[in-house]
Amino acid sequence: MSHNKLNEIAKNLSKPPKGILAADESTNTISKRFNDIKVESTDENRRKYRELLFKTKDLNKFISGIILFDETIRQSTSEKVPFGRFLNDLGIMPGIKVDTGAVPIAPESIEKVTEGLDGLGKRLIEYKELGALFTKWRAIIDINEESRIPSDYLIDLNCSNLARYAKIVQDHGMVPIVEPEVLMDGAHSIEKCYEVTSKTQKLLFKKLDHNDVNLKGILLKPNMIISGRKSPSQASISEVASQTVKCLKENVPKDVPGIVFLSGGQSNELATQHLNEMNKSNEEKPWNLSFSYGRALQQPTLNAWQGNDNKISNSQNALFKRSKLNSSATLGKYSEDLENSNYE
Ligand code: 5MM
């Protein structure tokens, strides 16, 4: 695929008023989510749940692409239409998570490197046949000041793998979403989050350059610059927005067409408010700023569904609502009043 085509796909995936739905939970993760709502994690229940998401009426007005897990891209609707084809027909681009998860960097280490480069080319050929147009690889970087992490070694390893992944994906004619996630689980300050995120992004773009990755044909999926969840001092919405844009301006070249944030465990409302605040400001930004949320889009849907066929329509309304509100946030047009409108 030509460089222009990759650029067009990356732009369209991140272009307001649309964003991405991350529905690529591995079996382990979706099983935890199902466990919380007392639903058994069988192949069929996972298929039914993903079908419910994808069949949400008018989802394509707000969602440009959906990231799938290996199992899901091989599954079909109840009418036997493969999910890849079903989404393409709706005008929603199917994507696929291609990393194989994170493993400790050494037997005793608490730091984890994301793997999945082995056999990646072969898997990409198959995913393309199943309809995927873009891919995702997530590296996780944990902050714990007492344990003196993250180490430079961990950041280096994860950025090297992200860059090599991006190159292989582009060589196979697909758009790589590059996701270096600095986790918000700790008790650290917003300043610490800025420091680690900025260091990671700086190194990442150096490695992408070394690997000859075409920046016009990628999307960056970063964390926002935010206080750790356990920090006693939580930064305001305007501070999160301004620090996030500052960090991106410092590190992300203008050639990158779009930035699609992860929600990372923020509440649904805050994830929307932070994105809105960034898009509301008149400050010039060279890239599209949109979303690629997993939990902040799906949590209300899961809660409304509870595995009950009679509640499918309610749960689809919940997905419709969060998708619409985040779509408004890509335009800087979200307001809290919209939370109380009727979405049935
Ligand atoms: C949907 O969750 C994704 C898959 O996670 P696992 O590999 O752990 O099963 C995850 O990568 C997701 O795409 C991003 O982290 C964004 O999700 P959030 O919930 O942070 O918006």
Side-chain angles (χ1 to χ4, degrees), residues 214-233:
N214 163 27
L215 295 185
K216 293 186 176 169
I218 69 164
L219 288 174
L220 177 70
K221 177 165 173 170
N223 53 287
M224 295 179 192
I225 304 298
I226 203 164
S227 319
R229 202 198 309 270
K230 296 182 206 135
S231 166
S233 143

Side-chain angles (χ1 to χ4, degrees), residues 22-30 33 67 97 99 101 136 138 179 181 221 261-265 292-298:
D24 58 314
E25 297 87 355
S26 54
T27 304
N28 201 13
T29 304
I30 196 74
R33 308 265 190 268
I67 316 173
K97 182 231 295 290
D99 66 70
K136 193 205 83 174
R138 171 177 176 243
E179 180 180 4
E181 175 174 5
K221 177 165 173 170
F261 292 103
L262 57 93
S263 58
S292 173
Y293 293 161
R295 282 163 287 180
L297 281 170
Q298 292 186 58

Side-chain angles (χ1 to χ4, degrees), residues 34-288:
F34 278 12
N35 195 34
D36 291 342
I37 55 164
K38 312 235 167 341
V39 172
E40 197 189 344
S41 184
T42 60
D43 299 10
E44 177 53 12
N45 280 344
R46 294 192 292 271
R47 190 204 64 76
K48 263 168 86 171
Y49 173 64
R50 266 67 184 246
E51 177 171 43
L52 164 175
L53 297 176
F54 307 160
K55 285 191 171 170
T56 297
K57 193 167 171 288
D58 288 336
L59 193 65
N60 56 4
K61 287 189 180 163
F62 316 116
I63 298 294
S64 54
I66 301 184
I67 316 173
L68 308 174
F69 179 57
D70 180 83
E71 175 187 70
T72 318
I73 202 166
R74 301 172 193 284
Q75 292 177 322
S76 302
T77 64
S78 40
E79 296 81 18
K80 307 279 175 251
V81 182
F83 281 141
R85 177 149 41 101
F86 181 79
L87 292 174
N88 267 311
D89 289 349
L90 281 178
I92 295 180
M93 292 186 252
I96 180 81
K97 182 231 295 290
V98 299
D99 66 70
T100 54
V103 299
I105 53 174
E108 302 299 316
S109 179
I110 52 171
E111 295 197 291
K112 289 182 174 175
V113 59
T114 301
E115 293 190 331
L117 291 173
D118 284 355
L120 178 56
K122 217 163 130 200
R123 284 187 286 135
L124 290 172
I125 293 169
E126 198 189 355
Y127 290 144
K128 250 180 127 171
E129 277 164 13
L130 292 166
L133 294 167
F134 69 100
T135 67
K136 193 205 83 174
W137 178 293
R138 171 177 176 243
I140 44 172
I141 293 142
D142 209 354
I143 300 180
N144 185 324
E145 290 172 273
E146 272 178 28
S147 308
R148 293 168 170 269
I149 62 168
S151 64
D152 288 348
Y153 177 55
L154 184 270
I155 296 176
D156 190 279
L157 270 182
N158 267 326
C159 289
S160 296
N161 283 357
L162 275 167
R164 177 69 188 133
Y165 139 79
K167 175 66 176 153
I168 296 173
V169 169
Q170 286 191 339
D171 286 348
H172 283 79
M174 294 163 96
V175 168
I177 295 187
V178 176
E179 180 180 4
E181 175 174 5
V182 176
L183 298 173
M184 58 178 282
D185 292 339
H188 53 272
S189 63
I190 186 170
E191 289 80 13
K192 185 71 190 174
C193 176
Y194 190 109
E195 179 198 317
V196 174
T197 306
S198 183
K199 187 182 202 176
T200 304
Q201 290 180 358
K202 225 171 237 101
L203 187 63
L204 174 64
F205 281 97
K206 208 183 258 179
K207 303 246 180 199
L208 288 168
D209 183 45
H210 285 168
N211 278 269
D212 203 21
V213 171
N214 163 27
L215 295 185
K216 293 186 176 169
I218 69 164
L219 288 174
L220 177 70
K221 177 165 173 170
N223 53 287
M224 295 179 192
I225 304 298
I226 203 164
S227 319
R229 202 198 309 270
K230 296 182 206 135
S231 166
S233 143
Q234 292 292 313
S236 65
I237 293 171
S238 64
E239 198 180 354
V240 170
S242 66
Q243 291 300 303
T244 302
V245 171
K246 181 169 180 271
C247 183
L248 294 171
K249 281 194 161 174
E250 205 173 284
N251 298 300
V252 185
K254 293 189 173 65
D255 275 351
V256 174
I259 288 166
V260 287
F261 292 103
L262 57 93
S263 58
Q266 301 178 51
S267 72
N268 309 321
E269 291 77 11
L270 268 181
T272 309
Q273 287 165 340
H274 287 146
L275 179 64
N276 186 60
E277 193 72 18
M278 287 183 239
N279 281 309
K280 218 171 71 182
S281 94
N282 291 329
E283 190 180 345
E284 209 190 306
K285 295 163 237 74
W287 346 262
N288 291 328

